[in-house]
Amino acid sequence: MSKTALICGSYAFDSIMVFHDQFKNHILPDKVHMLNVSFLVPTMRKEFGGCGGNIAYNLHLLGANSVPMATVGEDFTPYMNWMQKQHMNTEYIKVIEGSYTGQAFITTDMDDNQITAFHPGAMSNSHENKVSDAAAADIGIVSPDGRDGMIEHAKQFADAKIPFIFDPGQGMPMFSGEELITFIKQATYVAVNDYEAQMLQDKTGLDLTIIASMVKALIITKGGEGSQIHAKGEVIQIPPAKAQSTQDPTGCGDAYRAGLLYGIMNDMDWKTTGQLAGLLGAIKIAYEGTQNHTFDLAEIKQLYQQNYGESLF
């Protein structure tokens, strides 16, 4: 019987704009206290996003039983239609009346610097969903979401003895060092990028060795340099997979986390799990947007063999 992953995290619309210049040419360092700038962005695209949505989408492409849980706004209909078209589970997507779905407005310059404004909208009600509302899950993930929802869902996973990944992402600044330590104690795995890993150490006062000793695995992604997995007192270096092109890094971390979940659900060793996760990130980066790429398990097996010289299964 296949395992089920319950994915607690945000759903959002991403409005992505590209500024065909460099921010530094238009932001005067001695005038930042009275900043008033306007960036002409000739093109804009609106994408389906949100960490929970992206993770669920990638895990679904792998053929796993991916069950997302989130709160969304009254404007969610196009996204819901997309999910249903992909035959994804929408049972625990709760619409909050009078709210917008989370909205990210991202402007990127020619140096890949980003200025983002984020409106949480219905995300702030994520605590209204409870882990116990869903059918039995074998594993979970707490990814960026409403603050109260992240706290409640982590506690609910821990109380139900369901192993889960704590993936604080851009939500980390919402929590104190004490709160982050509580998350780590509750979690089975922690996944962060290298910048977040440093922030996690700074806020908690714990070094990576101590954090890793508190969970089954601490996973740190490093973009084009690959990733590393701290598990069982060892540090496993995961080489990067080869990307066909580099179009858009947004959502690569979420694709990686889907690979983590799949590896754990299928009892893969950490090296294989990390390599699969890295491969998913490399596939995503070749596409604009976070859910415009497609693949199936047969294609993944082939690409895994090409990248790592060994079989996935």
Side-chain angles (χ1 to χ4, degrees), residues 131-209:
V131 166
S132 58
D133 293 341
D138 300 285
I139 188 169
I141 185 167
V142 174
S143 60
D145 208 348
R147 173 187 155 81
D148 292 345
M150 291 179 72
I151 291 170
E152 290 297 317
H153 296 152
K155 184 178 186 304
Q156 290 160 14
F157 276 128
D159 288 348
K161 295 184 167 41
I162 298 170
F164 75 95
I165 299 172
F166 175 49
D167 167 31
Q170 62 266 47
M172 198 183 299
M174 295 190 293
F175 304 106
S176 67
E178 257 182 48
E179 288 169 328
L180 289 167
I181 290 171
T182 298
F183 276 119
I184 295 165
K185 286 178 177 177
Q186 291 169 330
T188 321
Y189 318 94
V190 171
V192 288
N193 64 28
D194 49 358
Y195 179 83
E196 293 157 1
Q198 187 60 55
M199 189 187 296
L200 190 60
Q201 292 175 88
D202 293 345
K203 294 197 77 163
T204 62
L206 306 175
D207 66 25
L208 294 181
T209 305

Side-chain angles (χ1 to χ4, degrees), residues 45 60 62 67 96 116 132 135 161 170 183 237 279:
R45 58 184 208 277
H60 178 73
L62 287 170
V67 179
I96 304 297
T116 300
S132 58
K161 295 184 167 41
Q170 62 266 47
F183 276 119
Q237 300 294 341
L279 176 60

